[in-house]
Amino acid sequence: MAAQGRPEVLFGLFSRLEGLSGIGPKAEQALGHLHIETPKDLIYTLPVGVVDRRPLTRLAEITPPRIATLEVEVIRHRPPPSRGRGPYRVTVTDSQTAFDLVFFHARAPYLEKLLPIGARRLISGKVELFDGIAQIVHPDHILPVEEAETLPKFEAIYPLGQGLTQKIMARAIADALQAVPDLPEWIDPALKAREGWPDWATAMRAQHHVQSPSEAAPNAKPRLRLAYDELFAHQLTLALARARAKRRKGRISHGDGALRAKVLQSLPYSPTGAQTRAIAEIVADMAAPERMSRLLQGDVGAGKTLVALMALLAAVEAGGQGVMMAPTSILAQQHAANLRPLAEAAGVVLEVLTGADKGRERAAKLAALARGNIAILVGTHAVFQEDVEFADLRLAIVDEQHRFGVRERLRLGEKGALADMLVMTATPIPRTLSLAQYGDMDLSILDEKPANRQKITTALVSEARMDEVVAHLQKAVAEGQQAYWICPLVEESEVYEATAAEERFKSLRARLGEGVVGLVHGQMSSPEKDATMTEFNENRTKVLVATTVVEVGVDVPNASIMVIEQADLFGMAQLHQLRGRVGRGSRASTCVLLYRNGLTETAKRRLHVLRDTDDGFVIAEEDLAIRGAGDVIGTAQSGLPRFRVADLEQHGGLMAMAQSDARALLALDPSLEGPRGQAARTLLWLLEQDKAIRLISAG
């Protein structure tokens, strides 16, 4: 069907701001800095607080500092001395207490006209004490008593930027609200009735005309309704992307299980129930005629690698090829090293391709790949370069790309025209964020640890006891153990982190001896990093001093000690990932979190959670509760949508509701043609989900 344009009923909300009351070119520019470019953006800028402007009888009723509204009589004016320095003071009284109104850079004629001696005025502003005497500096409102009714009892407080005042915002929003149309209802009627939510226009007006602080709270019904609209539009977009992916013809990759059986026979352990379930879900998707789009989410050490290999072998059994992409060359090499023995057990050719491959060697690999001689390719982003061609790519696996958004995933899927897509992450993500980020995908969760994983004991140790920690490390190394020593995270600077790591490397080398300690950090070249990692991997060095380069995926089974310096600087997910680097061999393992003195309560809470549990999903939920959604994933790279009203911590419960509602609507009305479907289209246009509209149009 052809694309429809924005509905006429919304035109007024997408006009220029300059026509609104009090908005000239300068104010329009200032609003632009807050990403407010249309009346729609303006009305979606909801109050961040509420000021109580209800009049008081006497100043004595309050304890400064606080905002108060009082009826006063003007007693006298005290201009600054003749040189004009200092404030202009106007003394007023509420019939019991005299106090001053204070103005800086004031013009006397203006104030004499505004506050004539003997006149009664209603004033509202922040009462503060100065030298024990009450005063209000630049009152927010000064009105003749007969105009008292024009002052709202509760006044909305808006976020401001440079060049904007509350008055400018309030006037412009009041004007923009005049253009708010009554829109058809897109929320399921039963859901709306159950939740007691108002209509869209009623909710919008109510949020700007709040009558008490509770009405501006995140759980106020009008705000919940507006938050739900955003989440519903977002989930509708993801559901449309998912439905389109499901409709896109895939390849039926139906393997006979022979290669997988060989690998299972070669394993010294049995897969967990979660691994078996995930493999079955993935293999069933691959055998279906639609393209697979699935997320495999597993805690640290839950055994994603085996699941990935089984999926890749299913592609090979079906006569095709599989590719697995890792974010760094170290990780790609690591995956290849772990997978190769298993691939050999199945009699399958596996190769690795990274940016380091050059010249003849690279050309030979590309030729073998194009002929189909390489069944499984492991690599970095290099595998998506134009000259990399597969004979028959059936499955693309993307590892640790939780920092990629939906658009990037869609682009990655284009390499094999009909290839199935599996995204893996070892970062347990709270359900709310998982739905926000991956709602277009089906989900497989690995929530069991393999029986061969060792328990890791986590200890919190003050940095004051650093010498004891090094002494324990010395003893462990003498017994043949290996250890990681992670250096503090320094704000966005690899150079500083490298310096910190180099200093620790020197001090540990002095204590433990030459050739015992290795060093790896982000400032080193890839060959240097790889050489250091190889030495540690092969047990030639015993202690690896590193920055967070080793956070994800590095696998050295003999390493049984993890020391993290200034652990309070790291995020919870990062500490959990780092801890997961040990406990991979036969030894009981230890993670030492060194912390600085004077920890905040939040930092203590985070470290205690890590000490008390090794369940990544519990840690992720705690992390969300402590830090908030943007920080948990890292807003800049998160692929998380930017909502104006919805808050993923406060409104997380609405996300699952929005997902099931969106999927249910599309199941009944796939092209959104019915009355509720048309209303949902209006919502998508209102919230500028153009991508969703294109998805419907493309069909």
Side-chain angles (χ1 to χ4, degrees):
M1 55 164 282
Q4 292 179 335
R6 180 178 288 125
E8 202 172 321
V9 71
L10 298 178
F11 285 1
L13 293 176
F14 286 89
S15 55
R16 285 279 305 275
L17 286 171
E18 209 180 322
L20 294 174
S21 175
I23 302 292
K26 274 189 177 166
E28 187 172 35
Q29 195 176 5
L31 287 165
H33 293 310
L34 296 178
H35 307 290
I36 298 171
E37 293 168 358
T38 62
K40 187 276 291 187
D41 295 336
L42 200 55
I43 62 171
Y44 268 95
T45 305
L46 299 188
V48 289
V50 182
V51 173
D52 186 342
R53 298 274 184 206
R54 288 174 295 182
L56 301 167
T57 313
R58 301 187 307 276
L59 185 67
E61 291 175 37
I62 70 149
T63 305
R66 69 155 272 195
I67 286 171
T69 304
L70 294 151
E71 189 179 320
V72 298
E73 183 183 341
V74 181
I75 305 295
R76 63 184 169 136
H77 282 238
R78 286 183 290 148
S82 55
R83 287 188 172 200
R85 288 196 178 146
Y88 190 116
R89 294 179 180 274
V90 179
T91 304
V92 297
T93 179
D94 64 2
S95 77
Q96 202 177 56
T97 310
F99 59 99
D100 284 348
L101 308 181
V102 180
F103 301 89
F104 292 93
H105 312 296
R107 299 194 315 277
Y110 169 75
L111 288 178
E112 284 161 3
K113 188 177 174 189
L114 185 68
L115 294 157
I117 291 171
R120 296 194 71 76
R121 291 285 183 265
L122 190 73
I123 56 144
S124 188
K126 190 174 186 181
V127 180
E128 297 171 296
L129 293 178
F130 180 71
D131 286 344
I133 297 164
Q135 63 177 29
I136 298 178
V137 178
H138 288 282
D140 302 324
H141 300 275
I142 301 173
L143 300 168
V145 174
E146 54 273 19
E147 292 177 24
E149 286 306 308
T150 64
L151 184 68
K153 289 187 173 62
F154 293 94
E155 187 175 55
I157 299 298
Y158 293 101
L160 299 177
Q162 198 171 1
L164 296 171
T165 64
Q166 290 297 340
K167 225 166 245 175
I168 290 173
M169 287 294 281
R171 277 175 64 188
I173 285 171
D175 198 7
L177 285 171
Q178 303 296 316
V180 164
D182 287 320
L183 297 177
E185 186 54 77
W186 46 78
I187 295 180
D188 175 52
L191 172 64
K192 187 182 168 203
R194 187 187 81 207
E195 298 296 327
W197 289 338
D199 295 338
W200 175 79
T202 307
M204 189 56 81
R205 291 189 190 98
Q207 278 293 279
H208 291 288
H209 298 141
V210 282
Q211 296 302 303
S212 70
S214 64
E215 290 184 15
N219 61 351
K221 287 195 184 296
R223 189 165 291 225
L224 284 172
R225 191 250 140 90
L226 296 174
Y228 183 79
D229 290 342
E230 284 190 315
L231 299 176
F232 180 60
H234 171 63
Q235 286 297 325
L236 204 49
T237 304
L238 291 178
L240 281 161
R242 180 173 180 267
R244 186 183 179 197
K246 293 263 180 215
R247 281 199 306 276
R248 277 162 73 185
K249 192 168 167 292
R251 301 279 296 284
I252 293 176
S253 294
H254 185 61
D256 59 7
L259 299 178
R260 282 169 278 158
K262 285 182 185 175
V263 169
L264 290 176
Q265 282 162 14
S266 75
L267 291 176
Y269 57 87
S270 296
T272 64
Q275 284 175 312
T276 304
R277 185 178 65 241
I279 292 165
E281 288 167 350
I282 293 163
V283 167
D285 275 3
M286 291 173 68
E290 302 84 23
R291 278 181 83 173
M292 172 173 76
S293 182
R294 185 171 282 277
L295 171 68
L296 176 64
Q297 190 180 352
D299 201 349
V300 173
K304 289 185 310 305
T305 309
L306 178 65
V307 176
L309 178 70
M310 290 302 194
L312 292 164
L313 289 175
V316 179
E317 287 167 359
Q321 294 164 294
V323 63
M324 182 169 179
M325 191 183 95
T328 65
S329 58
I330 287 182
L331 275 182
Q333 298 284 3
Q334 185 93 52
H335 277 313
N338 289 340
L339 291 171
R340 194 169 271 125
L342 298 174
E344 283 170 2
V348 165
V349 178
L350 179 147
E351 267 297 350
V352 62
L353 181 72
T354 69
D357 287 304
K358 300 276 190 292
R360 283 186 190 167
E361 192 184 341
R362 186 171 189 276
K365 282 184 186 177
L366 295 188
L369 190 68
R371 286 195 305 271
N373 294 355
I374 295 171
I376 297 173
L377 184 69
V378 179
T380 57
H381 287 77
V383 303
F384 290 101
Q385 287 170 1
E386 275 184 30
D387 61 346
V388 180
E389 287 181 15
F390 293 83
D392 181 8
L393 179 62
R394 297 290 186 106
L395 174 66
I397 299 182
V398 183
D399 185 33
E400 275 312 328
Q401 290 300 333
H402 55 281
R403 296 183 174 93
F404 271 46
V406 178
R407 277 192 206 90
E408 286 84 350
R409 281 203 299 280
L410 294 176
R411 212 177 298 143
L412 293 177
E414 286 162 10
K415 195 73 185 175
L418 304 170
D420 288 319
M421 169 73 74
L422 179 67
V423 175
M424 302 200 305
T425 176
T427 306
I429 302 170
R431 179 163 165 72
T432 310
L433 302 191
S434 183
L435 289 177
Q437 232 187 331
Y438 296 113
D440 59 320
M441 306 183 85
D442 294 308
L443 184 63
S444 290
I445 293 180
L446 296 180
D447 49 9
E448 293 173 60
K449 294 263 169 61
N452 61 339
R453 283 291 293 203
Q454 290 296 326
K455 177 95 178 100
I456 303 168
T457 304
T458 302
L460 306 186
V461 180
S462 162
E463 280 197 344
R465 294 170 56 200
M466 177 85 77
D467 279 346
E468 287 177 52
V469 173
V470 176
H472 278 291
L473 188 61
Q474 207 164 7
K475 187 166 172 279
V477 166
E479 291 168 359
Q481 296 187 55
Q482 281 181 282
Y484 295 97
W485 188 295
I486 305 298
C487 284
L489 190 68
V490 181
E491 284 295 307
E492 295 301 319
S493 169
E494 281 194 351
V495 178
Y496 285 124
E497 282 178 50
T499 307
E502 278 164 5
E503 292 303 314
R504 181 58 60 211
F505 167 67
K506 285 173 191 165
S507 71
L508 286 175
R509 187 176 57 183
R511 285 284 295 272
L512 304 176
E514 286 286 336
V516 176
V517 188
L519 171 67
V520 62
H521 58 68
Q523 290 286 294
M524 293 162 72
S525 68
S526 285
E528 283 177 310
K529 280 190 249 184
D530 292 346
T532 306
M533 293 304 301
T534 302
E535 283 180 353
F536 186 61
N537 229 329
E538 294 174 356
N539 205 356
R540 284 183 276 149
T541 50
K542 305 299 178 189
V543 177
L544 182 66
V545 174
T547 55
T548 51
V549 169
V550 301
E551 179 189 342
V552 175
V554 176
D555 190 1
V556 180
N558 193 48
S560 56
I561 298 169
M562 169 66 70
V563 180
I564 304 172
E565 209 173 319
Q566 292 185 22
D568 47 293
L569 289 176
F570 293 82
M572 291 171 80
Q574 206 166 26
L575 289 171
H576 182 58
Q577 287 285 345
L578 288 165
R579 173 170 62 184
R581 297 306 103 218
V582 294
R584 291 168 171 260
S586 55
R587 289 180 192 268
S589 295
T590 309
C591 176
V592 178
L593 302 179
L594 286 169
Y595 63 86
R596 299 171 298 170
N597 288 334
L599 287 188
T600 63
E601 284 307 310
T602 303
K604 278 182 196 162
R605 179 179 163 191
R606 287 167 47 214
L607 293 179
H608 285 154
V609 169
L610 277 145
R611 182 192 62 195
D612 298 340
T613 182
D614 65 349
D615 184 325
F617 290 93
V618 172
I619 290 166
E621 293 293 347
E622 274 292 320
D623 202 10
L624 179 62
I626 294 171
R627 288 198 303 154
D631 290 329
V632 168
I633 301 187
T635 306
Q637 299 173 296
S638 67
L640 275 183
R642 288 212 167 104
F643 299 120
R644 283 191 183 270
V645 182
D647 176 305
L648 290 180
E649 297 90 83
Q650 306 278 1
H651 302 128
L654 298 176
M655 183 68 91
M657 209 189 284
Q659 188 195 54
S660 61
D661 195 8
R663 288 186 176 185
L665 174 60
L666 286 179
L668 291 169
D669 184 4
S671 52
L672 299 180
E673 298 286 7
R676 192 178 160 215
Q678 291 289 349
R681 284 170 179 258
T682 303
L683 170 68
L684 294 172
W685 279 110
L686 173 70
L687 296 181
E688 299 176 83
Q689 293 282 345
D690 304 8
K691 180 169 178 287
I693 293 153
R694 283 201 306 278
L695 285 169
I696 307 167
S697 311

